[in-house]
Amino acid sequence: MKKILMSALMLLCGVGLFTSCDSDRDDNPTLQSPTTFVLNTPAIAGNTLDIASSSKLVLTCSQPDYGYPAYTAYVAEVSLTEDFNDYEALPAQNSARLELDGNNVAVALTNLVLRANPEMTEEDFPVDIPVYIRVHASQLTYGGTALEGTSIYSNTIKLQNVHLEFSLPPVEAPAQLNLVGGFCGNDWNKAVAMIEVNGSRAEDQTTATFWRMIWIDDQTGVKFNVEKAFDGNEIGFDGINIEGGLADQIEAGNDGYIKAKTAGWFLMAVKATVNGRDLIYDVTFNEPEVWLIGKATPTGEWNELMEGCKFEVPTTADGEFKSPALKATPGTEDGGCVRAYVKVPGWDWWRSEFMVFDGKLVYRGTGGDQDRVGSKEGEFLFLNFGNDTGRIADK
């Protein structure tokens, strides 16, 4: 089948028309609610259009009949069906000559095809599809909202056959996960970021693991999201695979939250894995264990999970984790220093370590080795994971 490049569409589409009311005076225009708004059908709309072969799709329309030429925002909407039961809106423009970015159109159409055909994968592309386009026009206020009485939709045009390649970017493991829930009053402004396990992110960005010591209550529970917002993408109980030693202490809460049967501290780790166009979240809930390691421990050894090196766990959301008594260390590499960590299953201790600097709990995360901190004989390391503070003191 012969393919017509989108650039040809640019050549064949005319310049948009502008209308005005003859009875309006230039010095005293009168706004009228528009009743006509025409989107022109391109002459080549009946041919096959290869959307991947051109950077722009250009359409023209008349300005709505406001009674005078007016600054107007135009938003093109594309759909696979004439009723626009599902559609994608493209970025707004301010000209009756709409230059639609070819990649934006291709991404919008790919999303529409996948929503209409959930069984389809990237391998099922390219496809040849009819595409319907309409334009929404309005005058905007200074705040960016439509001025009352100025909104109108154009007629719908049909591109008979659009050749569409798969146009979505690769799905990657999230760069960040944030926790919200009862511990912070369900307020995203008080939400906490999970910490990425050092070295857990695959080079191809298909996996990454995050952890957090978190108080999970038995009333609201928690959810997590990439953004600090309730934007429909937050993950709750039904969106995770539950694992770990305390998995049996976790249950579904109201509104899909992840709730504890008994309120308390949990070491929560989230492994995000790309599977096709989906993200799979395997979440482990383990005992809230914090450990010392190295010269400041009672034994002075560097072995993980050594007896006598585990912190005491508080029984309240605002309580402090308390270390065993520290040995005297100068805070240097050779002479020794205080080192603390949680053990994320499958990863070495230093990949999830942290330390206190000037009263602030700082996580190593994906960064390099942390600065050294010393201790006096018999002091303790106190950690508050509720507000990310800490201290080294004798009591």
Side-chain angles (χ1 to χ4, degrees):
M1 182 180 294
K2 182 179 179 181
K3 297 181 179 179
I4 307 297
L5 301 182
M6 281 299 179
S7 55
L9 185 58
M10 296 174 61
L11 297 175
L12 295 178
C13 292
V15 177
L17 303 176
F18 291 86
T19 61
S20 62
C21 179
D22 293 337
S23 61
D24 287 342
R25 296 177 54 190
D26 290 340
D27 59 346
N28 187 29
T30 301
L31 173 65
Q32 63 185 29
S33 294
T35 58
T36 60
F37 176 32
V38 178
L39 175 61
N40 301 316
T41 300
I44 59 173
N47 297 326
T48 295
L49 305 176
D50 188 350
I51 203 166
S53 65
S54 179
S55 61
K56 292 181 181 178
L57 166 61
V58 178
L59 300 173
T60 61
C61 59
S62 62
Q63 187 185 67
D65 55 337
Y66 293 124
Y68 55 87
Y71 183 87
T72 305
Y74 300 91
V75 177
E77 298 174 353
V78 294
S79 179
L80 304 182
T81 58
E82 192 171 10
D83 60 9
F84 279 77
N85 185 53
D86 189 20
Y87 67 90
E88 290 270 326
L90 300 173
Q93 301 190 33
N94 58 14
S95 171
R97 183 178 186 272
L98 284 78
E99 298 187 0
L100 308 181
D101 181 85
N103 182 66
N104 286 345
V105 176
V107 168
L109 293 177
T110 302
N111 280 321
L112 288 168
V113 169
L114 292 178
R115 288 205 294 269
N117 305 276
E119 74 286 353
M120 288 185 65
T121 66
E122 183 174 353
E123 287 69 32
D124 295 316
F125 286 75
V127 295
D128 292 285
I129 54 173
V131 172
Y132 297 87
I133 305 177
R134 66 184 181 186
V135 176
H136 176 260
S138 61
Q139 295 184 46
L140 301 182
T141 66
Y142 286 113
T145 59
L147 187 65
E148 185 177 356
T150 67
S151 293
I152 188 174
Y153 274 103
S154 73
N155 57 296
T156 298
I157 66 170
K158 180 181 181 181
L159 305 181
Q160 295 287 348
N161 199 35
V162 173
H163 185 73
L164 177 66
E165 300 281 351
F166 187 85
S167 301
L168 300 183
V171 176
E172 296 181 348
Q176 179 62 67
L177 291 177
N178 300 286
L179 279 167
V180 73
F183 71 92
C184 65
N186 224 29
D187 183 352
W188 280 110
N189 292 321
K190 299 177 182 178
V192 297
M194 300 194 78
I195 301 95
E196 186 170 333
V197 174
N198 195 297
S200 69
R201 183 172 296 273
E203 289 187 8
D204 60 3
Q205 303 292 307
T206 55
T207 61
T209 300
F210 303 83
W211 71 272
R212 183 78 196 195
M213 191 69 76
I214 191 73
W215 178 272
I216 304 178
D217 69 307
D218 57 358
Q219 299 297 315
T220 301
V222 298
K223 285 185 177 181
F224 59 90
N225 197 359
V226 173
E227 302 296 333
K228 288 187 175 182
F230 291 112
D231 58 5
N233 296 313
E234 58 272 14
I235 305 298
F237 186 86
D238 291 338
I240 64 176
N241 301 317
I242 298 177
E243 304 171 346
L246 295 183
D248 62 351
Q249 298 300 307
I250 298 298
E251 61 184 8
N254 294 331
D255 299 321
Y257 278 77
I258 305 163
K259 184 173 74 71
K261 293 180 180 178
T262 302
W265 287 99
F266 292 79
L267 175 56
M268 179 178 175
V270 179
K271 181 180 180 181
T273 304
V274 175
N275 182 17
R277 299 298 302 176
D278 298 321
L279 278 170
I280 307 300
Y281 292 103
D282 297 310
V283 184
T284 60
F285 296 89
N286 284 324
E287 294 284 353
E289 296 178 350
V290 181
W291 300 84
L292 291 175
I293 195 169
K295 298 292 186 179
T297 68
T299 62
E301 298 182 43
W302 290 91
N303 297 322
E304 294 182 2
L305 312 181
M306 286 288 292
E307 185 177 351
C309 296
K310 186 164 60 174
F311 283 56
E312 296 176 13
V313 180
T315 57
T316 61
D318 59 355
E320 291 181 308
F321 287 69
K322 180 182 178 182
S323 76
L326 301 171
K327 294 293 186 181
T329 58
T332 63
E333 182 67 51
D334 295 335
C337 54
V338 182
R339 306 288 285 269
Y341 67 98
V342 298
K343 177 64 174 177
V344 177
W347 298 98
D348 292 333
W349 69 271
W350 59 268
R351 298 182 184 275
S352 50
E353 70 170 320
F354 41 83
M355 189 41 58
V356 173
F357 301 97
D358 297 323
K360 181 68 175 176
L361 180 54
V362 179
Y363 301 96
R364 178 169 181 172
T366 58
D369 211 354
Q370 293 183 294
D371 290 338
R372 307 307 183 202
V373 174
S375 58
K376 296 178 182 178
E377 188 75 24
E379 287 187 318
F380 302 88
L381 173 58
F382 296 91
L383 303 171
N384 188 326
F385 290 102
N387 59 17
D388 281 345
T389 61
R391 57 197 176 93
I392 295 178
D394 55 7
K395 60 180 179 179

